[in-house]
Amino acid sequence: MELSQSCEGQIKESSEPEVIKILFLGGIGGGKSSTINTIVGHTECETGDTFIVGKQITEKTQIVTYKADRVLQFIDTPDIEELHQDKRFNELRRQGFHAVILVIPVKEHVRNMKMLSQLGKLLGSDCLKFLIVLLTFKENLKDSSLEEFIEILELDLKNFIKRCPKRIVEISNSDLSLEHSRSQREFFIKALEEVLQETKGDVITKPSRIQNRVKCCGCLNE
């Protein structure tokens, strides 16, 4: 990540690097932990097969820090349906999140609306402007297009995704090579920068509460 010239002076004036808190939400086996590993370029979050019904690898909220010109804190979470019971998540929610990543895997069984209703309960409708829709398991598309996958989703989920055309990021976590990690990180950072520019450094906390904590200078460039 490199600083744009317009932001360089602002960063140097601060003794402490800006910390951007990025919340990852989704269901079991969606690829939240794997995506964080891909973005940072090495394994930080435990991953594994989740074919057993109800089994999850990430059982508690954890933070992975990626340091560059800004400090990015990736907040990995358990299944979104159980998150309201997670003590650490509730503590972090009081501080606020600069971006919310809704992780949806490119898998045929993803046809339910539970994650959307839980998203609303956890953060309220105000979270939409902080939101990035991240589609994992991009390699499963094979010869199909992203549009074809979206069409097989439940109507409400399909319409929800279509409302975020500029906030959709497709990612593959099948390769942890440095080159692959860098390319995937570039796509993610671009979407993240757009969110930070639009929200001007606000953070989302509990439903209907938005607080301004950090001024955004829009310089998250790879």
Side-chain angles (χ1 to χ4, degrees), residues 202-216:
D202 285 352
V203 295
I204 181 73
T205 57
K206 291 186 177 182
S208 301
R209 292 183 61 196
I210 299 180
Q211 301 171 2
N212 187 284
R213 295 288 180 83
V214 180
K215 291 184 179 179
C216 172

Side-chain angles (χ1 to χ4, degrees), residues 42-101:
H42 56 273
T43 301
E44 286 281 355
C45 302
E46 183 181 359
T47 61
D49 293 327
T50 54
F51 59 90
I52 300 176
V53 175
K55 175 185 176 181
Q56 59 182 347
I57 303 300
T58 304
E59 297 182 346
K60 295 181 180 180
T61 296
Q62 57 186 332
I63 298 176
V64 175
T65 300
Y66 180 80
K67 295 183 179 180
D69 302 315
R70 290 181 176 186
V71 176
L72 304 184
Q73 285 189 346
F74 299 105
I75 301 166
D76 192 16
T77 60
D79 179 18
I80 192 171
E81 293 187 49
E82 301 179 6
L83 199 50
H84 65 283
Q85 304 173 4
D86 190 290
K87 182 178 179 181
R88 193 174 192 191
F89 166 76
N90 287 312
E91 291 174 350
L92 291 168
R93 182 171 58 172
R94 283 193 287 271
Q95 300 171 21
F97 309 109
H98 295 90
V100 179
I101 315 302

